[in-house]
Amino acid sequence: MGALESRGVLRKMSDMLEMMVKRMDVLARLENSTDFRKGEEARFPPDRFQPAAGLMERIQAIAQNVSDIAVKVDQILRNSLMNGKVIEGRRDQCEVPRDPKYPDCSGKVEWMRARWTSDPCYAFFGVDGTECSFLIYLSEVEWFCPPLPWRNQTAAMPSSKPPPRVQAAFRSNLSYLLELIGSGKESLIFMKKRVRHLASQWLLATQSLAQKLKGRRRDQKQILIHIGFLTEESGDVFSPRVLKGGPLGEMVQWADILAALFVLGHSLKVTVSLKELQSNLGVPPGRGNCPLTVPLPFDLIYTDYHGLQQMKQHMGLSFKKYRCRVRVIDTFGTEPAYNLEEYATLHGYRTNWGYWNLNPKQFMTMFPHTPDNSFMGFVSEELNETERQFIKSNKASNMAVVYGKEASIWKGKEKFLAILNKYMEIHGTVYYETQRPPEVPAFVKNHGLLPQHEFQQLLRKAKLFIGFGFPYEGPAPLEAIANGCVFLQSRFNPPHSSLNHEFFRGKPTSREVSSQHPYVEDFIGKPHVWTVDYNNSEEFEAAIKTIMRTKVDPYVPYEYTCEGMLERIHAYIQHQDFCAGASPPLPVKPNGHAMPSSPSLFTLSPNATHLVWSYNASSTPHVWPPVSSMQVWVSEAGQACTETCQEHRLVCEPTFFEFLNKKDVFLQLRIACDSAESEMSHLYPALAENVQECYLQKEPLLYSCAGYSTKYRRLCPCRDYRKGQVALCRDCL
């Protein structure tokens, strides 16, 4: 404001003060009038009438505040008048600089001239419509313009070096975590019950991991956990359905993630509302176009796709700066072809959930089905010896429980149920309020929706847990197998995918799902898991007869125990760093051929089928997983690297692609390349076999274990893995 306007405001404040004082005098006189008091009490209840003395105190406090403000405004006005000449002298220094290091500066200033009032956050940072305020903002808050030489640069710089790291210590008491989770939603209550139920197993897991690490130093991380799908802004469709048979898989996983991070000794903040997220991040007031008010106070942020979208909307440029710290809990996985926005848009891979341009390893899945992502998982409860013996002596060989709490899952399944009913007593846990769902046949004993411990008791008695094709890849089949059940499921022919099935349409993956639960089919299998063609009545009936005669013990894969999950999360936190910078683009000669590497990093295996890391290499790179676990294989045409590595009892490891993205690697594998072009494709590096053309990867974010084409044989980076822990190599812990 100018001088005249400021003095006008002061005059108005003074007039307001005088008016308040006069009214206070009137109220004081009324306070002493008995007739007034009686009249007011007749019209208003006593609790509605505030004593005049108390009202006077409040008005006096307000008057004092207004007076203080008036003094401050006067001081600001005097300072501005004193500095007026200095500011006038600097106006010529607020011309838009032409600096080749800041090519976007002039364009950003133009935008600010036209749009600075579009978001209140600009005014929050001091933008007032002048050229100087634009340049100060664009050089000190954002980074599109060079710093102004006459500005106090030390004030604009971030605070001094971060405080020293605190060492993480394993925790054994989960009480504080329960406070952090909070309450008020059925979903949060469910998660807290799960944390309490597994508390003793988490304690044993921390003791075991502590022995393995042998006192190795671990820095305590500042971690924000923002569960976006539980926020009101995302609709929170899960909380109201917790007590009505809705899906619990996501909440099971989040509860286990929270418990694991907490017992590992890290400092946590938990948010389930947009307001809490904004407060913890330091979001300025406005519409989300400005950066954060302070440097991000968290080393890591665990969220989901809903939370990721909320962060992007409210962090401004800070989202791009800090997105390397985000870890996205992603049930079904996100493949690189869908993740890179430019590539996805050009090649038909764009969906509502992809195009985030993250390192694909930042996406963390429920099952290890997408090696391009990190496998997070969850916990399946282990039984003690007493419980195992109880199950052995109390199993009913002719009792089956159907997987499906929602009545819609049972629709059209009469044929299977009729066959199953010939041999077994069938139990269901379908939610209903008043009337039995008509989709559930009369011969089925429906218990309604059961609390978790009662459902577990049902599984401990049952012989068979049977799925009808949906839901996909949930935790319940693992829970049933852990309680001594056999899981029977349908084989999908053709496999379900985003190309042929509505459920997967729009999900950022081309993965083909061969059964209701591919993990238990591939990683556990018989006798615990039977996958049959439900369209073949004879095969279905034969499987039931065999299962009734088959004895199985309770089984939990190690990677789904508390200890297995702790190992993974510890390793990820210690070794995964996506802020260190992506691999530099491959150097390319003017003719488009890749530069050869020297000396060779690999040695051909004795049987000349694959390459292994050369221990004679001049320097071993510091990467995780360590390169000593790597082997390089060539896929068949039409085969993805995921399958190629599995055939050799290995796992595809996309981190290693950068080491084999060289023409020399083709030559070492005795593959002659007439040419070696560098292009963007999620299938490269690869060989076009018919024409002997080799293709190298130009964009590191497109390195992908997934994807195949009958035109190409792909170079595949594989690694070994720990027994029962496919996410970690043998030396990864």
Side-chain angles (χ1 to χ4, degrees):
M1 291 184 295
L4 292 175
E5 290 91 337
S6 298
R7 295 209 179 276
V9 169
L10 286 174
R11 279 198 298 271
K12 288 180 180 178
M13 287 183 174
S14 179
D15 293 343
M16 289 171 62
L17 284 170
E18 288 183 17
M19 183 65 70
M20 286 183 176
V21 170
K22 289 178 181 178
R23 291 182 177 179
M24 286 165 58
D25 290 340
V26 172
L27 286 170
R29 288 195 296 273
L30 289 173
E31 170 68 9
N32 297 322
S33 171
T34 308
D35 292 339
F36 172 79
R37 293 280 297 182
K38 289 179 180 177
E40 287 302 299
E41 287 175 3
R43 284 193 292 139
F44 300 105
D47 60 341
R48 291 279 306 276
F49 187 83
Q50 295 294 329
L55 187 58
M56 286 174 62
E57 290 176 6
R58 294 185 185 184
I59 293 175
Q60 286 172 338
I62 293 170
Q64 185 60 50
N65 287 337
V66 173
S67 178
D68 292 343
I69 292 170
V71 172
K72 289 178 182 177
V73 169
D74 193 41
Q75 290 174 345
I76 292 170
L77 180 59
R78 289 177 184 175
N79 290 337
S80 68
L81 291 172
M82 290 172 60
N83 295 329
K85 292 183 179 180
V86 179
I87 293 172
E88 286 295 328
R90 287 176 179 162
R91 288 195 187 280
D92 60 343
Q93 299 181 46
C94 290
E95 294 180 0
V96 179
R98 295 180 179 178
D99 188 331
K101 294 179 182 177
Y102 298 87
D104 298 323
C105 183
S106 60
K108 290 293 179 179
V109 171
E110 280 293 328
W111 189 95
M112 291 291 286
R113 286 177 188 145
R115 301 290 304 278
W116 75 272
T117 57
S118 64
D119 193 324
C121 70
Y122 297 117
F124 174 83
F125 281 110
V127 177
D128 59 9
T130 62
E131 295 289 292
C132 283
S133 69
F134 297 154
L135 290 171
I136 290 170
Y137 175 85
L138 291 170
S139 61
E140 296 178 11
V141 180
E142 296 185 4
W143 42 88
F144 292 107
C145 294
L148 299 174
W150 50 268
R151 288 282 292 174
N152 182 354
Q153 297 304 317
T154 55
M157 293 294 288
S159 58
S160 57
K161 61 182 180 180
R165 286 286 185 186
V166 176
Q167 188 167 355
F170 289 109
R171 295 189 180 105
S172 57
N173 189 331
L174 293 167
S175 299
Y176 182 56
L177 173 61
L178 299 176
E179 291 181 32
L180 285 175
I181 294 173
S183 57
K185 292 175 178 278
E186 289 294 340
S187 49
L188 298 178
I189 295 169
F190 172 86
M191 290 161 64
K192 288 166 73 170
K193 285 180 180 177
R194 180 170 177 83
V195 169
R196 286 192 201 96
H197 184 68
L198 293 174
S200 60
Q201 296 197 18
W202 285 117
L203 176 59
L204 293 173
T206 56
Q207 293 170 350
S208 178
L209 182 58
Q211 291 176 356
K212 292 177 184 177
L213 297 180
K214 298 176 181 177
R216 201 179 309 163
R217 180 179 175 84
R218 299 180 302 115
D219 287 340
Q220 185 186 66
K221 303 292 185 182
Q222 301 295 318
I223 299 176
L224 174 66
I225 298 99
H226 177 61
I227 310 176
F229 75 89
L230 292 183
T231 62
E232 297 300 327
E233 291 76 11
S234 70
D236 188 14
V237 297
F238 285 84
S239 294
R241 297 175 66 194
V242 168
L243 301 178
K244 297 182 179 181
L248 301 178
E250 286 83 357
M251 281 169 272
V252 164
Q253 187 180 34
W254 274 110
D256 295 344
I257 291 169
L258 284 164
L261 292 171
F262 185 80
V263 299
L264 283 169
H266 299 294
S267 177
L268 309 184
K269 290 267 187 173
V270 183
T271 62
V272 291
S273 78
L274 183 57
K275 187 176 180 181
E276 290 175 316
L277 174 69
Q278 292 172 316
S279 174
N280 280 286
L281 292 178
V283 174
R287 299 188 178 95
N289 290 304
C290 297
L292 302 180
T293 58
V294 293
L296 186 70
F298 300 103
D299 301 299
L300 293 169
I301 299 176
Y302 287 82
T303 189
D304 51 30
Y305 264 123
H306 294 284
L308 196 63
Q309 185 66 45
Q310 291 168 351
M311 290 167 59
K312 184 179 180 181
Q313 288 174 349
H314 295 278
M315 288 177 68
L317 284 175
S318 295
F319 179 76
K320 187 173 182 180
K321 180 178 180 180
Y322 293 121
R323 65 184 175 187
C324 59
R325 303 189 191 182
V326 175
R327 304 294 182 266
V328 185
I329 307 305
D330 175 17
T331 302
F332 295 100
T334 299
E335 293 175 0
Y338 295 82
N339 170 61
L340 188 64
E341 184 174 16
E342 178 189 358
Y343 185 80
T345 303
L346 288 174
H347 296 85
Y349 291 104
R350 186 166 180 129
T351 70
N352 291 334
W353 300 103
Y355 64 85
W356 287 96
N357 300 325
L358 302 180
N359 185 309
K361 283 286 184 182
Q362 289 176 254
F363 298 100
M364 311 190 104
T365 59
M366 187 173 276
F367 292 95
H369 44 56
T370 308
D372 293 312
N373 305 150
S374 298
F375 164 45
M376 172 59 78
F378 58 91
V379 169
S380 186
E381 184 181 357
E382 291 183 276
L383 305 180
N384 59 39
E385 191 56 37
T386 303
E387 291 168 329
R388 293 172 72 90
Q389 290 302 322
F390 174 84
I391 287 174
K392 276 187 177 182
S393 58
N394 287 275
K395 274 288 177 188
S397 62
N398 65 338
M399 179 178 169
V401 175
V402 175
Y403 181 17
K405 296 174 290 184
E406 296 188 10
S408 59
I409 296 172
W410 294 64
K411 193 173 182 179
K413 306 300 187 298
E414 296 84 3
K415 182 179 176 182
F416 314 132
L417 290 167
I419 296 173
L420 182 60
N421 188 48
K422 287 164 54 178
Y423 301 95
M424 290 188 161
E425 179 182 280
I426 306 173
H427 293 249
T429 57
V430 182
Y431 170 79
Y432 66 96
E433 292 183 357
T434 54
Q435 285 188 315
R436 180 187 176 93
E439 295 89 347
V440 180
F443 55 75
V444 174
K445 185 176 181 181
N446 185 31
H447 299 263
L449 193 64
L450 293 176
Q452 192 65 18
H453 68 280
E454 291 184 29
F455 179 62
Q456 195 172 47
Q457 294 302 318
L458 191 66
L459 292 176
R460 291 182 180 184
K461 294 177 185 176
K463 177 71 176 183
L464 177 67
F465 190 58
I466 181 170
F468 284 150
F470 189 84
Y472 296 100
E473 299 179 308
L478 275 176
E479 188 177 1
I481 295 166
N483 282 285
C485 292
V486 173
F487 179 54
L488 177 63
Q489 64 172 346
S490 171
R491 181 184 299 114
F492 299 148
N493 188 18
H496 293 181
S497 73
S498 58
L499 299 177
N500 64 9
H501 204 274
E502 189 60 35
F503 178 83
F504 290 102
R505 193 160 290 126
K507 290 183 170 55
T509 175
S510 299
R511 184 166 62 94
E512 296 180 332
V513 178
S514 59
S515 62
Q516 183 174 353
H517 209 297
Y519 174 83
V520 298
E521 177 187 5
D522 297 335
F523 286 80
I524 300 178
K526 294 179 180 179
H528 301 279
V529 179
W530 290 65
T531 306
V532 301
D533 181 3
Y534 278 23
N535 292 321
N536 186 328
S537 300
E538 292 180 0
E539 184 182 355
F540 179 75
E541 191 166 357
I544 293 171
K545 292 178 181 178
T546 307
I547 288 168
M548 292 179 70
R549 298 192 301 267
T550 304
K551 289 189 176 182
V552 295
D553 292 326
Y555 174 70
V556 179
Y558 177 75
E559 55 200 353
Y560 282 95
T561 64
C562 287
E563 187 176 343
M565 189 170 185
L566 272 192
E567 278 186 2
R568 279 195 304 282
I569 295 181
H570 158 74
Y572 292 154
I573 290 175
Q574 293 299 114
H575 300 293
Q576 285 185 336
D577 182 4
F578 305 115
C579 299
S583 304
L586 191 73
V588 177
K589 290 182 178 178
N591 63 2
H593 290 192
M595 297 286 285
S597 59
S598 180
S600 175
L601 303 176
F602 299 101
T603 302
L604 190 65
S605 64
N607 58 2
T609 57
H610 63 282
L611 300 179
V612 295
W613 185 262
S614 174
Y615 289 95
N616 296 324
S618 56
S619 61
T620 300
H622 295 286
V623 296
W624 188 87
V627 291
S628 57
S629 64
M630 177 175 23
Q631 296 181 21
V632 182
W633 289 81
V634 183
S635 78
E636 296 298 325
Q639 187 178 52
C641 285
T642 305
E643 286 73 41
T644 300
C645 295
Q646 283 178 350
E647 285 183 357
H648 302 288
R649 297 186 178 181
L650 300 167
V651 177
C652 183
E653 179 50 65
T655 308
F656 294 151
F657 267 115
E658 63 175 302
F659 299 110
L660 51 116
N661 192 41
K662 300 174 175 66
K663 183 178 178 180
D664 276 11
V665 176
F666 286 97
L667 298 177
Q668 281 189 279
L669 287 162
R670 300 178 181 177
I671 297 172
C673 298
D674 293 340
S675 65
E677 303 293 334
S678 180
E679 298 180 8
M680 283 175 57
S681 171
H682 68 290
L683 302 176
Y684 298 162
L687 164 71
E689 198 167 30
N690 294 339
V691 290
Q692 293 301 114
E693 290 179 352
C694 298
Y695 293 94
L696 301 168
Q697 181 59 261
K698 190 176 182 180
E699 171 51 66
L701 287 181
L702 282 176
Y703 286 138
S704 177
C705 294
Y708 61 86
S709 169
T710 54
K711 297 179 182 178
Y712 299 113
R713 297 183 67 198
R714 301 189 57 193
L715 288 193
C716 300
C718 308
R719 64 161 170 83
D720 58 34
Y721 56 90
R722 298 168 68 87
K723 184 178 180 182
Q725 183 73 290
V726 72
L728 302 180
C729 70
R730 289 171 190 161
D731 297 324
C732 275
L733 191 57

